[in-house]
């Protein structure tokens, strides 16, 4: 039996953070009903394979919750639910009468995903949240939607906290997850000089970096002293960037990975 077996979740959230969170709750055993508008989830058009993977263990229903009949069907789902996940603006949520769903459904907790904590009505997406917290390198586009991914995990942890709280009080409560807050915590790695240009894990330390080899690039993650010293010993390097570049340059990814596996080194090829 999985940890969340018996927990019922209704999700109105589209795009990425909400579906990611709902999928994770389903992996943990929750029964999830994903309610989509007639136009569907934009994620299904943008990344259909990912979308199909995320909904694999969910029931998907289509409802136009702006219409009375479908709004009534949503209430039927909420009557037995423990958690409601949304990702719309608070004003839109209020128009649906869902700003405080626990007033009608006492055991139901709302997990509301918004963009900005200070003003949740301001529009935005992952790129906007990353833009103000130091995780972008212009003009390159990000390769990972950091705010969305971390926001999804924050949604899951908030949902779990809501269940714990309800076990104590007996009633559901509203909670809010701000994606910009998630981006800010990711940006702490740059803000506090762990990552970023010339930071210790941003290229300054030779034991943690990307190096070119004969047929591509490898990632070396020898942060701990024993890994770093073993790397130097195995490759006959003196601890400088230049010596490691020279040691890797003439070998292929496969050769370097074989050495790493044999000598227990945190090194592997970079694949895209």
């Amino acid at each position: 039996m999985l940890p969340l077996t018996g927990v019922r979740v209704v999700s109105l959230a589209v795009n990425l953070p909400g579906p990611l969170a709902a999928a994770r709750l389903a992996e943990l055993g929750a029964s999830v009903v994903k309610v989509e508008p007639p136009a569907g989830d934009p994620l299904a058009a943008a990344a259909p394979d990912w979308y199909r993977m995320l909904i694999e263990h969910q029931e998907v229903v289509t409802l136009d919750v702006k219409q009375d009949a479908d709004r009534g069907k949503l209430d039927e789902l909420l009557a037995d639910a423990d958690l409601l996940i949304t990702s719309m603006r608070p004003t839109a949520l209020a128009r649906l009468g869902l700003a405080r769903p626990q007033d009608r459904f006492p055991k139901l907790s709302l997990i509301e995903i918004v963009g900005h904590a200070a003003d949740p009505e301001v529009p935005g997406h992952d790129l906007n949240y990353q833009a103000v917290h130091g995780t972008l390198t212009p003009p390159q586009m990000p390769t990972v939607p950091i705010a969305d991914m971390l926001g999804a995990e924050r949604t899951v942890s908030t949902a779990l906290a809501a269940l714990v709280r309800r076990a104590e009080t007996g009633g559901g409560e509203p909670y809010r997850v701000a994606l910009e807050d998630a981006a800010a915590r990711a940006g702490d790695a740059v803000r506090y000089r762990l990552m970023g240009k010339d930071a210790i894990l941003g290229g300054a330390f030779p034991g943690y970096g990307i190096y070119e080899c004969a047929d591509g690039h490898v990632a070396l993650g020898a942060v701990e002293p024993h890994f770093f010293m073993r790397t130097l010993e195995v490759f006959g390097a003196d601890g400088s960037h230049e010596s490691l570049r020279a040691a890797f340059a003439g070998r292929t990814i496969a050769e370097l990975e074989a050495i790493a596996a044999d000598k227990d080194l945190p090194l592997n090829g970079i694949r895209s």
Side-chain angles (χ1 to χ4, degrees):
M1 183 175 292
L2 294 170
L4 295 186
T5 298
V7 173
R8 298 178 62 85
V9 180
V10 174
S11 176
L12 294 174
V14 296
N15 290 322
L16 191 54
L20 276 172
R24 180 61 180 144
L25 292 170
E27 288 176 2
L28 293 171
S31 173
V32 179
V33 177
K34 186 179 190 300
V35 178
E36 296 185 357
D41 189 333
L43 182 63
D49 291 339
W50 197 3
Y51 168 81
R52 283 190 291 270
M53 184 191 76
L54 292 178
I55 66 168
E56 183 178 3
H57 301 295
Q58 302 178 45
E59 177 187 355
V60 179
V61 300
T62 300
L63 295 177
D64 185 352
V65 295
K66 297 178 181 178
Q67 304 299 321
D68 290 344
D70 280 2
R71 182 66 183 81
K73 293 177 182 177
L74 175 61
D75 283 346
E76 292 175 9
L77 294 172
L78 295 179
D80 295 325
D82 301 290
L83 300 166
L84 170 62
I85 301 174
T86 68
S87 60
M88 59 191 71
R89 298 189 200 194
T91 50
L93 201 61
R95 284 195 295 270
L96 292 175
L98 293 174
R100 287 184 54 84
Q102 74 274 14
D103 291 344
R104 289 191 58 197
F105 311 104
K107 73 171 188 175
L108 182 62
S109 289
L110 168 66
I111 314 298
E112 182 185 9
I113 303 171
V114 299
H116 303 270
D119 189 350
E121 295 293 332
V122 174
H125 281 287
D126 181 275
L127 187 65
N128 305 111
Y129 313 134
Q130 288 202 53
V132 295
H133 290 292
T135 55
L136 296 181
T137 307
Q140 287 80 18
M141 291 291 288
T143 56
V144 176
I146 291 173
D148 285 353
M149 304 290 280
L150 291 183
E153 290 301 322
R154 282 181 166 234
T155 300
V156 172
S157 60
T158 301
L160 298 179
L163 294 173
V164 172
R165 177 66 174 169
R166 193 190 66 182
E168 297 173 347
T169 66
E173 298 179 25
Y175 300 85
R176 183 170 283 176
V177 175
L179 297 178
E180 189 185 358
D181 286 348
R185 298 291 69 79
D188 284 345
V190 179
R191 188 173 298 109
Y192 292 106
R193 298 296 301 145
L194 181 66
M195 306 287 291
K197 183 176 174 59
D198 298 327
I200 188 166
L201 297 188
F205 174 49
Y208 193 87
I210 295 172
Y211 291 92
E212 188 173 3
C213 62
D215 59 351
H217 293 80
V218 292
L220 174 65
V223 175
E224 294 83 0
H226 64 282
F227 281 133
F228 185 53
M229 297 309 296
R230 191 182 307 153
T231 300
L232 302 185
E233 179 183 350
V234 168
F235 291 103
D238 62 13
S240 65
H241 288 92
E242 292 74 16
S243 65
L244 288 170
R245 290 191 190 103
F248 297 149
R251 293 181 169 97
T252 65
I253 291 175
E255 289 171 336
L256 290 169
E257 286 184 333
I259 293 171
D262 181 59
K263 301 299 184 181
D264 189 31
L265 298 176
L267 181 150
N268 55 279
I270 296 176
R271 294 162 177 83
S272 59

